[in-house]
């Protein structure tokens, strides 16, 4: 098979990208315009993203793994998931798959009829509506929840809101409940909201709600994040909202971004003019991979990358168990000398 024939076959698979993913990467799930899974061999997880539709960012069927830096097309997915070594076998399997009947897609509402009607579940539009319906966190149990975790920095937290009865459903067959939740706006580099993140809370704000999955994201997250402050030449990036706000408790002027997972952390996009990036790592294998991936990417673009390492599992554990004074001292020793006076709280 010629290179052009292989390209055409990959394009045909891309036209049915979601069906390909559901068949070969069955342990993944749809996340906005992407299929999210652990790796190209189909392991459970969140670090690999397959584009499901053609966009300005690239064609459907292209994938990238934020944890490893690998990328490719759907022919690679077929090869790796089935363990094929001969490219002729990959081609034969792809042609076999394309000859199968496709499931009928769910109907979409015409654009002109969507005004005033529920947005598609999990879409960026639904994320924007949810955030618009929520209220500022000041005086709510969302603020109580964060304070109970030792967080006291609430400057530039407009990306966080509170919803008293946010819908929660563990799966499609379960009934829907209304549970209080902290809602975070996920935005791109231009400040446009592309998604939302929900943290369901206990009624008194003492902890997260006692449900199987107290945190869920919706919309398009890849490359974006929850932003606190406007980044110019310096930015700190970490996985969780609580991790990032813990650091801002003692570095309240440091612009920061919560990527919401290790896989997304490795894939964040860098703002123009960024000179120094602090990577707020978690002490676990996924955190190590995200740190290494992000530092490699930043260095390749001429950005100085510095990993900030917690004493315990993450910076919120440090804040809760060691206190703000100890966290401040630990961070001071890791900051670039130019940033100590600039960002460190007195």
């Amino acid at each position: 098979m010629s290179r052009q024939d292989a390209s055409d076959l990959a394009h045909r698979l891309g036209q049915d990208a979601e069906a390909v993913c559901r068949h070969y990467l069955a342990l993944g799930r749809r996340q906005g315009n992407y299929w999210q899974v652990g790796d190209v061999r189909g392991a459970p997880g969140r670090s690999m993203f397959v584009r499901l539709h053609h966009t300005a960012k690239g064609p459907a069927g292209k994938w990238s793994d934020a944890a490893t830096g690998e990328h490719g097309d759907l022919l690679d997915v077929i090869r790796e998931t089935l363990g094929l070594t001969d490219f002729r076998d990959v081609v034969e399997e792809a042609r076999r798959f394309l000859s199968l009947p496709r499931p009928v897609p769910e109907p979409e509402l015409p654009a002109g009829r969507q005004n005033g009607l529920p947005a598609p579940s999990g879409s960026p539009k639904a994320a924007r509506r949810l955030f618009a319906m929520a209220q500022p966190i000041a005086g709510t149990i969302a603020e109580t929840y964060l304070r109970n975790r030792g967080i006291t920095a609430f400057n530039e937290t407009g990306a966080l809101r509170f919803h008293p009865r946010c819908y929660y459903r563990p799966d499609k067959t379960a009934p829907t409940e209304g549970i209080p939740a902290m809602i975070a706006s996920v935005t791109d580099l231009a400040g446009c909201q592309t998604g939302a993140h929900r943290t369901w809370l206990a009624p008194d704000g003492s902890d997260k709600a006692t449900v199987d999955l107290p945190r869920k994201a919706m919309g398009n997250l890849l490359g974006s994040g929850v932003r606190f402050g406007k980044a110019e030449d310096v930015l700190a990036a970490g996985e969780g909202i609580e991790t990032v706000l813990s650091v801002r408790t003692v570095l309240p002027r440091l612009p920061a971004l919560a990527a919401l997972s290790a896989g997304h952390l490795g894939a964040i996009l860098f703002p123009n003019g960024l000179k120094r990036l602090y990577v707020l790592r978690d002490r676990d294998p996924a955190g190590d991979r995200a740190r290494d991936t992000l530092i490699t990417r930043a260095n390749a673009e001429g950005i100085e990358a510095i990993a900030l390492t917690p004493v315990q599992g993450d910076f919120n554990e440090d804040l809760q168990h060691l206190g703000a004074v100890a966290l401040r001292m630990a961070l001071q020793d890791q900051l670039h000398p130019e940033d100590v006076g600039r960002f460190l709280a007195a």
Side-chain angles (χ1 to χ4, degrees):
M1 169 176 270
S2 70
R3 182 175 299 179
Q4 182 59 48
D5 289 339
S7 178
D8 290 343
L9 188 55
H11 176 73
R12 289 178 61 198
L13 289 168
Q15 292 177 319
D16 252 334
E18 184 168 353
V20 175
C21 291
R22 290 189 181 279
H23 185 79
Y24 296 100
L25 303 171
L27 295 181
R29 62 173 183 170
R30 180 167 182 162
Q31 185 80 20
N33 189 39
Y34 295 88
W35 189 262
Q36 187 179 22
V37 70
D39 60 31
V40 71
R41 287 161 289 283
R46 301 180 178 182
S47 67
M48 176 176 154
F49 297 85
V50 185
R51 189 178 293 109
L52 299 180
H53 300 286
H54 178 80
T55 69
K57 296 180 179 179
K62 292 293 185 179
W63 59 268
S64 62
D65 190 327
T68 66
E70 296 175 287
H71 57 88
D73 58 27
L74 293 174
L75 289 173
D76 299 314
V77 169
I78 291 175
R79 183 189 69 236
E80 294 295 328
T81 54
L82 298 182
L84 302 176
T85 56
D86 191 324
F87 187 66
R88 288 174 297 182
D89 294 334
V90 176
V91 170
E92 182 179 349
E93 172 63 17
R95 287 174 170 163
R96 183 201 66 80
F97 176 84
L98 289 168
S99 71
L100 297 176
R102 300 273 73 76
V104 178
E106 295 182 4
E108 293 185 0
L109 290 172
R113 294 182 55 202
Q114 290 186 2
N115 292 336
L117 296 176
S121 176
S123 68
K125 185 175 182 179
R128 289 190 289 270
R129 287 190 177 183
L130 174 62
F131 191 72
M133 290 188 295
Q135 65 190 76
I137 64 170
T140 69
I141 64 171
E143 181 182 355
T144 301
Y145 164 74
L146 293 172
R147 289 190 182 278
N148 283 338
R149 299 182 72 101
I151 294 165
T152 58
F154 293 98
N155 60 309
E156 300 178 301
T157 53
L160 300 181
R161 291 188 181 179
F162 171 71
H163 195 298
R165 290 184 57 81
C166 182
Y167 286 156
Y168 177 83
R169 186 167 62 174
D171 57 61
K172 292 183 178 180
T173 62
T176 299
E177 303 177 62
I179 302 176
M182 180 173 68
I183 312 297
S185 172
V186 178
T187 55
D188 61 17
L189 288 175
C192 298
Q193 186 178 356
T194 63
H197 184 269
R198 297 152 289 177
T199 303
W200 283 276
L201 305 172
D204 60 357
S206 58
D207 205 343
K208 293 184 289 294
T210 54
V211 295
D212 290 340
L213 296 171
R215 293 190 177 103
K216 286 187 180 181
M218 59 194 298
N220 298 335
L221 276 64
L222 190 66
S224 302
V226 183
R227 301 175 192 275
F228 304 99
K230 180 175 176 57
E232 294 179 352
D233 58 329
V234 178
L235 173 69
E239 293 183 34
I241 294 169
E242 295 88 341
T243 290
V244 168
L245 290 181
S246 295
V247 171
R248 278 178 59 89
T249 292
V250 296
L251 296 167
R253 296 183 295 274
L254 178 64
L257 174 148
L260 303 175
S261 74
H264 285 100
L265 178 59
I268 64 168
L269 299 180
F270 306 129
N272 291 332
L274 188 66
K275 296 179 180 177
R276 187 154 47 249
L277 175 71
Y278 288 106
V279 182
L280 312 180
R281 61 164 292 213
D282 286 359
R283 280 187 176 272
D284 56 36
D288 290 342
R289 289 193 297 269
R291 173 202 60 197
D292 295 343
T293 298
L294 195 51
I295 288 176
T296 299
R297 289 183 53 230
N299 290 338
E301 296 195 24
I303 299 169
E304 179 184 17
I306 300 174
L308 300 183
T309 302
V311 176
Q312 300 192 359
D314 59 47
F315 284 108
N316 189 242
E317 289 185 23
D318 284 5
L319 181 61
Q320 291 189 77
H321 301 151
L322 305 179
V325 173
L327 177 57
R328 183 180 298 114
M329 294 177 62
L331 287 170
Q332 181 174 350
D333 292 339
Q334 300 180 65
L335 290 177
H336 189 285
E338 293 180 3
D339 294 334
V340 174
R342 183 179 177 187
F343 296 118
L344 195 65

